[in-house]
Amino acid sequence: MAYKEKEIEKIYYSIGEVAEIFDVAPSLIRFWESEFDLIQPKKNRKGNRQFTKEDIDHVRTIYHLVKEKGFTLQGAKEMLRNDAHSVRDKMDLLDSLKKVRQFLVQVREKL
Amino acid sequence: MAYKEKEIEKIYYSIGEVAEIFDVAPSLIRFWESEFDLIQPKKNRKGNRQFTKEDIDHVRTIYHLVKEKGFTLQGAKEMLRNDAHSVRDKMDLLDSLKKVRQFLVQVREKL
DNA sequence: ATTTCTTTTTCTTTGTACGCCATGAGGGAA
DNA sequence: TTCCCTCATGGCGTACAAAGAAAAAGAAAT
């Protein structure tokens, strides 16, 4: 299982691999990179992008805002202006609040 | 000041007045009405839209999500799926959280 | 007060600019 | 062959804006 171990511990991921993770085209990853400062993968001397897990997590944040939450690119940029790291957590908190409210509404309806 | 009193207590507002409030074109208000169930102003028998203050507040919610927060129309619709009333409040809470975090980061930097 | 003319506001339908990518050319490295 | 690069161009749908017609509201004159 040495190979598998190596896979798990892989440091860099190609743009094709990243694209596959999110089921999007590589061109979209490149486009987002051109739009968002948050995405800045290293490039080897050949020019190929090398994504770390952290880079991929940044892509995940963009994906979350744009594809799941429905922000425009401009809106996503605004969201990222202050705090890039915890935006996803806060959006999830927002969802939690909505769920809590939903629950309370149901409780009230029972009374 | 009877006239002014009457103005203040006005019940219905025209689409032009509503558009002016948000500094947008009347056509945009009509378009939003066609897109969002939340906006459903009464129409007189001539067909002219008559917006109550509550209707205007619904427009304000759409404006907030689309023009200030940067949601796509689809994203805004998703936000409104569960709870139309308190979305604005929650988004403001989100902003508050961001401000609190910003403050804490600054405090940490001082140490 | 009423008629006439002009401007404003509204309506629905149709048109369109731009955001958000996708595709293609032309090429390099493994 | 396959995956990657840059740069240019293409294209589809979103998000409105414009066009055209009709009604209403002023304004001027009688």
Side-chain angles (χ1 to χ4, degrees):
Chain A
M1 293 298 182
Y3 179 70
K4 194 171 183 182
E5 290 292 323
K6 204 169 182 183
E7 277 297 318
I8 289 173
E9 294 169 10
K10 182 154 57 178
I11 296 178
Y12 292 126
Y13 296 80
S14 72
I15 193 169
E17 291 171 315
V18 175
E20 195 176 11
I21 290 173
F22 299 102
D23 193 28
V24 299
S27 63
L28 180 56
I29 304 293
R30 292 194 196 95
F31 176 68
W32 281 352
E33 178 188 336
S34 75
E35 288 289 313
F36 293 92
D37 296 338
L38 183 61
I39 302 181
Q40 282 179 336
K42 230 181 84 179
K43 293 187 182 182
N44 61 18
R45 77 179 154 295
K46 196 189 127 196
N48 287 14
R49 290 164 178 78
Q50 303 186 134
F51 292 81
T52 64
K53 285 182 187 298
E54 194 181 351
D55 288 328
I56 294 175
D57 215 49
H58 290 159
V59 174
R60 194 184 315 281
T61 296
I62 306 296
Y63 183 89
H64 184 246
L65 291 175
V66 173
K67 294 297 184 185
E68 295 176 344
K69 286 300 160 184
F71 279 92
T72 64
L73 298 196
Q74 187 57 42
K77 286 173 192 172
E78 279 296 318
M79 282 295 287
L80 295 172
R81 270 181 60 84
N82 296 318
D83 44 3
H85 297 81
S86 51
V87 162
R88 289 216 315 277
D89 298 337
K90 286 174 186 170
M91 290 305 294
D92 291 344
L93 174 60
L94 193 67
D95 282 338
S96 299
L97 283 173
K98 290 171 77 171
K99 290 208 178 83
V100 167
R101 182 183 185 280
Q102 222 169 356
F103 173 73
L104 289 177
V105 166
Q106 285 191 349
V107 168
R108 189 181 60 190
E109 281 171 354
K110 293 291 181 183
L111 305 182
Chain B
M1 290 297 181
Y3 179 71
K4 194 171 181 182
E5 290 292 324
K6 204 169 181 183
E7 277 295 320
I8 289 174
E9 294 167 10
K10 182 153 58 179
I11 296 177
Y12 292 126
Y13 295 80
S14 72
I15 192 169
E17 290 171 316
V18 175
E20 194 177 12
I21 289 173
F22 299 103
D23 193 27
V24 299
S27 62
L28 180 55
I29 304 293
R30 293 193 196 95
F31 174 67
W32 282 352
E33 177 189 336
S34 75
E35 288 289 314
F36 294 92
D37 295 339
L38 183 60
I39 301 181
Q40 281 179 338
K42 232 183 82 181
K43 291 188 182 182
N44 61 17
R45 79 179 153 296
K46 193 196 131 198
N48 287 13
R49 290 162 179 79
Q50 304 186 133
F51 292 80
T52 64
K53 285 181 187 298
E54 195 180 352
D55 289 327
I56 293 175
D57 214 49
H58 291 158
V59 173
R60 195 185 314 282
T61 296
I62 306 296
Y63 183 90
H64 184 245
L65 291 175
V66 173
K67 292 299 183 183
E68 295 176 345
K69 287 298 159 187
F71 280 93
T72 64
L73 298 196
Q74 187 56 43
K77 287 172 192 172
E78 278 298 317
M79 284 295 287
L80 295 173
R81 270 182 61 85
N82 295 319
D83 44 2
H85 297 80
S86 50
V87 162
R88 290 215 314 276
D89 298 338
K90 287 175 186 169
M91 290 305 294
D92 291 344
L93 174 60
L94 193 66
D95 282 337
S96 298
L97 283 172
K98 289 171 78 170
K99 291 210 179 83
V100 167
R101 182 182 184 281
Q102 219 170 0
F103 174 73
L104 289 177
V105 166
Q106 286 191 349
V107 168
R108 191 180 59 189
E109 283 171 353
K110 293 289 181 185
L111 304 181

